[in-house]
């Protein structure tokens, strides 16, 4: 496996992370005021929990990322048994 970095000034080479970064910025960072680093960590963690465990994503067949991952592990486990 070879590690390759995105060229400077070319964010379109990784549209998935750019989309996530925009969502994090719009839904969390721009709407909260942070009184301290600890306050920021707490608010960002709450947003992360909501994003991964409660909010369905259309790109994952309208499952939450957590449910999608569990489904993938179940399929892998069943396949390994064969």
């Amino acid at each position: 496996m070879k590690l390759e970095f995105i060229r400077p000034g070319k964010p379109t080479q990784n549209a998935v992370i750019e989309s996530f970064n925009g969502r994090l910025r719009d839904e969390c960072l721009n709407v909260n005021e942070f009184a301290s680093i600890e306050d920021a960590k707490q608010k960002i963690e709450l947003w992360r929990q909501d994003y991964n465990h409660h909010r369905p994503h259309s790109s994952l067949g309208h499952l939450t990322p957590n449910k999608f991952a569990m489904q993938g592990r179940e399929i892998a486990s069943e396949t390994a048994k064969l």
Side-chain angles (χ1 to χ4, degrees), residues 29-70:
L29 302 178
N30 289 347
V31 297
N32 288 297
E33 288 187 21
F34 305 111
S36 66
I37 294 293
E38 290 306 316
D39 182 43
K41 287 179 181 179
Q42 182 182 25
K43 289 175 180 173
I44 293 168
E45 177 61 18
L46 289 173
W47 181 84
R48 187 186 71 81
Q49 291 293 326
D50 177 59
Y51 186 83
N52 287 326
H53 298 282
H54 304 289
R55 186 187 313 179
H57 296 241
S58 60
S59 64
L60 303 177
H62 300 285
L63 296 172
T64 66
N66 191 47
K67 287 182 182 174
F68 184 80
M70 286 190 319

Side-chain angles (χ1 to χ4, degrees), residues 5-39:
F5 294 98
I6 295 172
R7 293 182 299 181
K10 302 289 183 184
T12 56
Q13 289 182 332
N14 192 347
V16 173
I17 195 63
E18 290 301 317
S19 175
F20 172 80
N21 288 344
R23 187 164 286 114
L24 171 64
R25 190 179 320 107
D26 292 343
E27 297 176 6
C28 183
L29 302 178
N30 289 347
V31 297
N32 288 297
E33 288 187 21
F34 305 111
S36 66
I37 294 293
E38 290 306 316
D39 182 43

